[in-house]
C-alpha cells in the first residue's frame, strides 16, 4: 500500500495523543492547574493535529462531516464519533483539573476508555480489510493499542510503566512482522484464484491493461522501498523501543526523557511507514505483482 | 446506506466469456466514452498527450499467459470491471453512505455528492474495480450503465451496458443472474461460470466463463504419416551453395 505521509502522521500522532489522554484520564500523573494545562495541551495538539492531517488525503474534505453518518457499518465513521466523544469527555475532565483543581475521576475513566476505543477504531480501519492479508489480523489492533499506551506512558512520565510497555511493544512488533510475512501465502489468494484460470495451468501476466500507471498501482501496489525493509525494521525497533528503554533506565533527567520521546516517535513513524509499505493488496495479483 | 440489503430483487450483472474475448479493448473505450459524457463526474485523464499519461477507467482488459503442464501456452484476455458483489465490502466500509447497493437490482453505486474521496472503498475491493478520479476527488466505478439499461429514450437494443453493446466478439453478456431462467444464468450453468477470488467472500454477481479446452496437438499428426517426407538435404543450386559455403 502507498505509505501516504498524511496517514502515517495521522495514525502516529493521534495514537500518541490519545495514549497520553488515556493516562491523564486515569490520573497518571494526577495533575491539576498549570501542569495539567500543559499536559492536556500537548495531548490535544497531538490528537487533533493527527485528525486534521488525516483530512489532507481526502478528495473532498469539505464534506468530511458526512463521515459521521455510517457508524453502523464503517470503522472510519465509528472512529470519527469515538474521537469526538473521547475529546469531549476528556475536555470536561481537563476543565475541572485545570481551572477548578478538581479531578472528576469517573469523567476521566470514561474519557480514558473512549481514548482507547478511538485508537481501536483507527486500527480496525486497516485490520478489517481482507484484501490486505498482512493487516487483516487481531495483532493489528493489538499493536496500535499497545504502541499508543506505551507512547502515552512515556509522554506522561510514567517511567516504570513505560519501560514495561515499551518492551512488550517491541516483542509484539517482532511477532507482527514474523506472522505478517507469512499471511499472504496462508490466505491462499493467488493469480490462479484471481483469474480463475488455475485449472488450465500456471498463470503469468502477459500484458497489463494500460501502458502507464494508474490509481490502483499508485495506491495499492506500492513496491518501492521495500528492499530496505529489513534494515528499517531494525532501525525502527532500536528507536522505538531499545533506545527509549535504555534512556529511561538511566537516572531521570528531563533532557534524557525528551530524547527518549523523540526517539520513540521516530521509531513509531518508521514502523508505521513499514506497516503501509510492506502491506500487499491482493489486487496486485491482477498485475502479477505483490 | 452502507448496510447491505439482505436480499435484492434482481441481481443484474455481466457474464464475461474468456473464450471469445479477443482483447481488442473496444469495451474499455466505449465505457470511457459513455461514462465521461453522461452520469456523474467525467472520467478524467491526466497528462493525456504527455510523457506520463494516466486516467480513470471503469473497465480494463488484462492479458494473461497460461502454461498447461503439457502443450503450448494459451493467451487469455481478461476484461475486469465491478462485479457488483452480493457481499460488497466496498459498501460497508464507506463512512459517508456514498457507496450503496440497490435493493431493486443489486447494482453497486456511488453517490458522488456524498463521497469525501477517502479511498477506503477502493482498498476494500479485491478486484481493483474502483478508481478515484484525480480531477474531481470522488470515487468512480462501473454503474452497469444504469443510465442506459432503464433509459426509454434509447432504442430497445441499446438498453444494455455500453461494453456489452460494443463488444464485437460477443464476449460480454448482461442480464439478471437471480433468475435461473435468464439467458445469462443458462449460459453460466452450461459453461461452468466461476467467481473470481471466491476465498475473499465477496459473492460476486458477475461470472466468468472459462476458456473452452483447446484442440490437442496429436490431432495435427493424423495426416502426417501420409505426407511425403520433406527433403532434408538441399538439392540443385541450393545444394551446391550449401556445399560450397561448407568448404570455405
Ligand atoms: S467488485 Fe469491488 S467495487 Fe464492485 S461490488 Fe465488489 S467489492 Fe465493490
Ligand atoms: S471514497 Fe467515497 S465512496 Fe469510497 S468509502 Fe470514501 S466516501 Fe465512501
Amino acid at each position: 500500500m502507498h505509505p501516504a505521509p498524511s496517514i502515517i502522521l495521522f495514525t502516529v500522532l493521534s495514537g500518541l495523543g490519545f495514549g497520553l489522554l488515556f493516562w491523564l484520564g486515569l490520573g497518571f500523573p494526577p495533575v491539576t492547574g498549570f501542569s495539567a494545562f500543559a499536559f492536556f495541551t500537548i495531548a490535544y495538539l497531538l490528537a487533533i493535529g493527527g485528525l486534521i492531517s488525516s483530512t489532507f488525503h481526502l478528495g473532498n474534505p469539505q464534506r468530511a462531516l458526512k463521515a459521521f453518518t455510517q457508524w453502523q457499518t464503517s470503522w472510519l465513521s465509528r472512529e470519527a464519533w469515538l474521537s469526538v466523544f473521547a475529546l469531549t469527555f476528556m475536555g470536561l475532565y481537563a476543565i475541572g483539573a485545570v481551572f477548578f483543581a478538581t479531578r472528576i475521576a469517573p469523567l476521566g475513566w470514561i474519557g480514558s476508555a473512549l481514548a482507547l476505543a478511538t485508537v481501536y477504531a483507527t486500527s480496525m480501519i486497516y485490520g478489517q480489510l481482507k484484501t490486505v492479508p498482512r493487516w487483516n489480523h487481531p495483532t493489528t489492533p493489538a499493536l496500535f493499542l499497545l504502541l499508543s499506551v506505551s507512547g502515552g506512558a512515556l509522554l506522561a512520565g510514567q517511567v516504570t510503566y513505560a519501560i514495561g510497555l515499551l518492551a512488550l511493544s517491541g516483542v509484539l512488533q517482532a511477532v507482527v512482522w514474523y506472522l505478517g510475512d507469512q499471511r499472504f501465502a496462508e490466505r491462499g489468494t493467488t493469480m490462479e484464484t484471481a483469474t480463475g484460470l488455475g485449472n488450465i495451468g500456471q498463470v503469468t501476466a502477459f500484458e497489463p491493461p494500460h501502458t502507464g500507471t494508474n490509481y490502483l498501482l499508485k495506491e495499492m501496489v506500492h513496491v518501492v522501498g521495500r528492499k530496505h525493509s529489513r534494515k528499517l525494521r531494525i532501525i525502527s525497533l532500536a528507536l522505538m523501543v531499545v533506545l527509549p528503554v535504555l534512556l529511561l533506565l538511566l537516572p531521570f533527567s528531563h533532557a534524557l526523557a525528551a530524547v527518549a520521546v523523540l526517539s520513540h516517535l521516530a521509531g513509531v513513524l518508521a514502523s508505521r511507514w513499514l506497516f503501509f509499505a510492506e502491506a500487499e493488496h491482493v489486487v496486485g495479483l491482477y498485475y502479477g505483482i505483490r | 446506506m452502507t448496510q447491505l440489503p439482505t436480499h435484492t430483487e434482481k441481481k443484474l450483472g455481466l457474464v464475461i466469456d474468456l473464450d471469445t474475448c479477443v482483447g481488442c479493448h473496444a469495451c474499455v473505450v466505449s465505457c470511457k466514452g459513455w461514462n465521461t459524457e453522461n452520469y456523474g463526474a467525467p472520467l478524467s485523464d491526466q497528462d493525456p498527450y504527455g510523457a506520463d499519461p494516466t486516467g480513470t477507467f471503469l473497465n480494463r482488459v488484462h492479458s494473461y499467459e497460461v502454461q498447461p503442464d503439457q502443450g503450448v501456452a494459451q493467451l487469455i484476455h481478461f476484461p475486469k470491471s465491478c462485479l457488483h458483489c452480493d457481499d460488497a465490502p466496498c459498501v460497508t466500509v464507506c463512512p459517508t453512505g456514498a457507496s450503496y447497493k440497490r435493493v431493486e437490482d443489486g447494482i453497486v453505486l456511488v453517490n458522488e455528492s456524498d463521497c469525501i474521496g477517502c479511498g477506503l472503498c477502493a482498498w476494500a475491493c479485491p478486484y481493483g474495480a474502483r478508481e478515484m478520479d484525480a480531477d474531481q476527488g470522488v470515487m468512480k466505478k462501473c454503474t452497469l450503465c444504469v443510465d442506459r439499461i432503464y433509459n426509454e429514450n434509447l432504442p430497445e437494443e441499446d438498453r444494455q451496458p455500453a461494453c456489452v453493446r460494443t463488444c464485437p466478439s460477443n464476449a460480454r453478456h448482461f442480464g439478471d443472474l437471480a433468475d435461473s431462467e435468464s439467458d445469462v444464468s443458462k449460459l453460466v450453468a452450461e459453461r461452468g461460470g466461476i467467481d473470481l477470488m471466491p476465498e475473499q467472500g465477496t459473492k460476486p454477481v458477475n461470472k466468468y466463463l472459462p476458456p473452452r479446452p483447446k484442440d490437442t496437438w496429436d490431432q495435427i499428426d493424423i495426416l502426417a504419416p501420409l505426407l511425403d517426407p520433406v527433403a532434408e538435404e538441399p538439392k540443385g543450386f541450393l545444394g551446391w551453395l550449401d556445399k560450397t559455403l561448407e568448404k570455405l
Side-chain angles (χ1 to χ4, degrees):
Chain A
M1 304 292 291
H2 171 61
S6 61
I7 307 192
I8 295 177
L9 269 180
F10 147 59
T11 57
V12 171
L13 295 184
S14 72
L16 262 184
F18 284 109
L20 177 54
L21 285 178
F22 165 76
W23 289 98
L24 293 176
L26 294 183
F28 293 96
V31 278
T32 51
F34 184 74
S35 56
F37 180 75
F39 269 113
F40 279 106
T41 308
I42 295 174
Y44 270 79
L45 283 178
L46 287 170
I48 296 177
L51 292 176
I52 290 174
S53 88
S54 76
T55 61
F56 291 159
H57 88 285
L58 298 182
N60 281 286
Q62 76 283 6
R63 298 198 271 264
L65 284 181
K66 296 209 164 162
F68 283 91
T69 59
Q70 303 301 313
W71 53 272
Q72 291 182 58
T73 65
S74 165
W75 280 106
L76 186 46
S77 192
R78 288 172 197 162
E79 181 206 35
W81 275 111
L82 287 166
S83 64
V84 167
F85 285 145
L87 293 173
T88 311
F89 273 89
M90 290 306 292
L92 294 174
Y93 175 73
I95 289 172
V98 173
F99 298 108
F100 303 102
T102 29
R103 293 189 301 105
I104 309 158
L107 265 188
W109 298 335
I110 298 173
S112 295
L114 286 168
L116 284 192
T118 308
V119 176
Y120 180 73
T122 306
S123 68
M124 284 306 288
I125 295 173
Y126 310 104
Q128 69 179 335
L129 296 173
K130 269 197 196 151
T131 48
V132 185
R134 189 184 281 278
W135 292 348
N136 187 228
H137 195 259
T139 48
T140 298
L143 186 61
F144 269 67
L145 282 170
L146 197 52
L147 282 176
S148 162
V149 172
S150 322
L154 201 57
L155 284 176
Q158 302 303 307
V159 176
T160 340
Y161 286 121
I163 292 174
L165 287 167
L166 283 172
L168 216 59
S169 329
V171 174
L172 183 58
Q173 174 70 83
V175 171
V176 163
W177 282 330
Y178 175 74
L179 294 178
D181 287 347
Q182 305 161 37
R183 199 165 304 116
F184 201 104
E186 274 167 27
R187 294 289 167 90
T189 299
T190 59
M191 283 186 79
E192 282 71 28
T193 69
T195 59
L197 298 171
N199 53 354
I200 302 178
Q202 208 207 324
V203 184
T204 42
F206 181 76
E207 201 178 33
H210 38 96
T211 49
T213 185
N214 73 347
Y215 170 76
L216 301 171
L217 291 175
K218 282 191 265 188
E219 185 75 8
M220 283 167 268
V221 200
H222 180 91
V223 290
V224 196
R226 268 197 216 144
K227 67 171 187 278
H228 295 305
S229 67
R230 299 286 136 164
K231 279 183 217 154
L232 254 177
R233 283 182 180 186
I234 295 171
I235 294 174
S236 158
L237 260 191
L239 290 176
M240 184 167 80
V241 174
V242 182
L243 189 58
V245 167
L246 290 179
L247 290 171
L248 290 182
L249 287 172
L250 293 175
F252 183 81
S253 90
H254 279 291
L256 287 187
V259 177
V261 168
L262 290 178
S263 162
H264 176 73
L265 179 64
V268 180
L269 284 171
S271 150
R272 201 54 49 82
W273 188 87
L274 284 167
F275 177 76
F276 288 98
E278 289 189 309
E280 299 150 316
H281 193 289
V282 293
V283 75
L285 294 170
Y286 284 107
Y287 291 88
I289 319 170
R290 253 175 65 178
Chain B
M1 268 307 273
T2 54
Q3 269 165 315
L4 289 167
T6 47
H7 173 79
T8 60
E9 284 154 40
K10 288 182 178 179
K11 293 182 205 276
L12 295 187
L14 301 177
V15 172
I16 293 174
D17 191 342
L18 297 178
D19 195 60
T20 53
C21 173
V22 292
C24 68
H25 292 242
C27 53
V28 178
V29 178
S30 66
C31 167
K32 177 104 172 178
W34 178 265
N35 288 293
T36 291
E37 290 152 12
N38 294 281
Y39 164 88
L43 304 173
S44 70
D45 290 318
Q46 282 66 44
D47 196 17
Y49 304 106
D52 199 10
T54 56
T56 315
F57 287 80
L58 310 183
N59 175 37
R60 299 197 184 250
V61 181
H62 294 254
S63 296
Y64 298 105
E65 184 182 274
V66 187
Q67 178 62 61
D69 288 342
Q70 311 241 300
V72 289
Q74 295 181 26
L75 187 60
I76 291 155
H77 303 292
F78 192 97
K80 183 164 61 61
S81 50
C82 173
L83 292 90
H84 297 279
C85 306
D86 256 350
D87 226 332
C90 57
V91 169
T92 50
V93 297
C94 174
T96 61
S99 280
Y100 62 104
K101 186 170 175 72
R102 307 204 322 171
V103 182
E104 60 270 40
D105 51 18
I107 300 181
V108 175
L109 287 178
V110 175
N111 175 354
E112 292 174 6
S113 58
D114 276 356
C115 171
I116 55 173
C118 67
L120 194 53
C121 54
W123 288 13
C125 169
Y127 309 107
R130 292 177 166 239
E131 298 190 16
M132 179 103 73
D133 187 75
D135 184 52
Q136 296 288 311
V138 293
M139 197 50 77
K140 300 295 297 184
K141 69 176 293 300
C142 160
T143 65
L144 218 54
C145 285
V146 70
D147 48 353
R148 289 176 66 95
I149 56 179
Y150 299 113
N151 191 337
E152 292 184 354
N153 297 322
L154 295 178
E156 177 94 46
E157 66 270 27
D158 281 337
R159 288 181 216 155
Q160 39 181 324
C163 56
V164 175
R165 185 77 180 99
T166 301
C167 178
S169 67
N170 244 353
R172 307 181 68 113
H173 307 268
F174 165 70
D176 179 9
L177 287 136
D179 171 8
S180 58
E181 289 307 304
S182 68
D183 287 347
V184 279
S185 295
K186 285 187 202 151
L187 197 54
V188 171
E190 213 172 282
R191 296 272 307 279
I194 55 144
D195 288 350
L196 304 185
M197 289 189 190
E199 70 284 357
Q200 285 277 333
T202 52
K203 306 205 193 92
V205 168
N206 286 12
K207 301 286 181 240
Y208 282 75
L209 306 180
R212 294 181 174 91
K214 295 285 178 230
D215 295 344
T216 49
W217 277 106
D218 24 294
Q219 277 175 306
I220 292 171
D221 285 335
I222 293 175
L223 293 177
L226 306 175
L227 295 172
D228 275 340
V230 179
E232 264 144 41
E233 287 288 317
K235 292 191 184 106
F237 173 69
L238 274 183
W240 170 81
L241 192 65
D242 192 47
K243 272 181 219 137
T244 319
L245 286 174
E246 202 84 24
K247 278 185 208 142
L248 286 179

